Amino acid sequence: METILNLPIENKIFYAVLVFSWTVYLWEAYLAYRQRRIYRLTLQVPQELGKIMDTDTFEKSRLYQLDKSNFSFWSGLYSETEGTLILLFGGIPFVWKVAGTVTARFGLGPEYEIFQSLSFLILATLFSAFTGLPWSIYNTFVIEEKHGFNQQTLGFFLKDAVKKFIVTQCILLPVTSLLLYIIKIGGDFFFIYAWLFTLGVSLVLVTIYADYIAPLFDKFTPLPEGELKEEIESMSKSISFPLTKVYVVEGSKRSSHSNAYFYGFFKNKRIVLFDTLLEDYSPLNKDGEPETDTLTEDKSKLKVRLTQLRRELGHFHVDAEMSSIQFSPLPLSLQMNSFLCFFLFAVLIGQKELFMAFGFYNSQPTLIGLMIIFQFIFSPYNEVLSFCLTVLSRRFEFQADSFARGMGRASELCSALIKLNKDNLGFPVADWLFSMWHYSHPPLLERLRALGSTKQD
């Protein structure tokens, strides 16, 4: 103990970061073990769901979630081990030195720190992409394929990965260079300018994502005229939701999972539906056999789609009541957190010991400072914040469910939740501690109980 107390401050910081990282990993592993135990031992459909979930579906969802949990354990162990080895063997200063060698080949010395930072980012993201690729391939072509969700070919997958990397670099590099420049010239109040810049970037990206970025990967088409579109427009008007367009995204070329969401600011909001939500397309029925569930009747299908949207619009309704400018409380809290983090970064960036702890003895690059402080020093705070946001998100989900119930749609919402849970092979039983820590959306049983009904519509 005395030996540890006598260590230089930079060594204490380094070992504290390692110990905390492994503490979080072991905590997460313990929670995952509790949930895997649920998957292994819960072999019968819970009594409450006996009339709405058949044994075959229950078993498929159990095996799917068990496979995902086992995969998550091994990928998490690899990731934690890789991160530890990078820190122990000086991987970060090594890559920074290589980046300096690359920029020097173009006649740019150490004074061109921003260019060296961009070179460092490219090398680091390349390394991350290559080390993560085998895990992503296994997840897509073994686990998702085994359980009937994957719709991609290997060629499409690799092409998509390359495209994502290029688009990411096209956004990441200019944004990072401008942020570093602002920090360099911002003076004592640079943290305010940096925060405003990142806020502006996030607003721009949210605005242009669905119109200019997402179409690079998926096909978006306007929802055709018909009963569904008329019902969506009528429903939007009933709660003063400023709907401008309804799109259908071709998600079925990647996966048979289904979803729906809305985006946009102020009076320009749009709804996006996955084509797998519109079509009766799921791993449970894609062999062409009709389901016995009454949801396969045309009007019941329409109700399921609309009820999912009612929930999403419920988020808008709750947010609008809480904020006159119609910004969601979660993004607002994240921006407040972002400002706090930039302020603390301004306080800590001058501490040489932070850089020395990670192998930077002769220089203090701004990008490395951002990485050290935001990723490592703030990690305890980030864990607490993540848990608080999970709790808050669950509360909003219950509020959205309550809104749909208030519209007299409780039974339809129950049917929609059950249908989506079945189509995505969600497991309805969760360990209470795992659920509390991880689930931003409450488990199916909790939501049905909150709605006051577990009976099928």
Side-chain angles (χ1 to χ4, degrees), residues 280 291-304 412 415-416 418-420 422 456-457:
D280 193 22
E291 293 189 29
T292 57
D293 199 308
T294 57
L295 289 170
T296 54
E297 298 175 7
D298 290 341
K299 289 190 176 181
S300 293
K301 289 180 186 176
L302 181 60
K303 288 180 180 179
V304 169
E412 293 176 13
S415 297
I418 294 164
K419 172 66 173 173
L420 290 171
K422 290 172 64 177
Q456 188 174 11
D457 183 18

Side-chain angles (χ1 to χ4, degrees), residues 211-223:
D211 289 327
Y212 300 101
I213 300 176
L216 297 174
F217 303 95
D218 297 299
K219 183 180 180 181
F220 286 72
T221 56
L223 180 67

Side-chain angles (χ1 to χ4, degrees), residues 98-114:
V98 173
T101 303
V102 172
T103 54
R105 290 181 177 273
F106 295 92
L108 304 174
E111 66 274 15
Y112 292 93
E113 184 186 309
I114 292 180

Side-chain angles (χ1 to χ4, degrees), residues 205-215 220 247 261 263 270 272:
L205 288 177
V206 168
T207 303
I208 69 172
Y209 175 78
D211 289 327
Y212 300 101
I213 300 176
F220 286 72
Y247 289 111
Y261 63 91
Y263 69 97
R270 305 171 187 188
V272 177

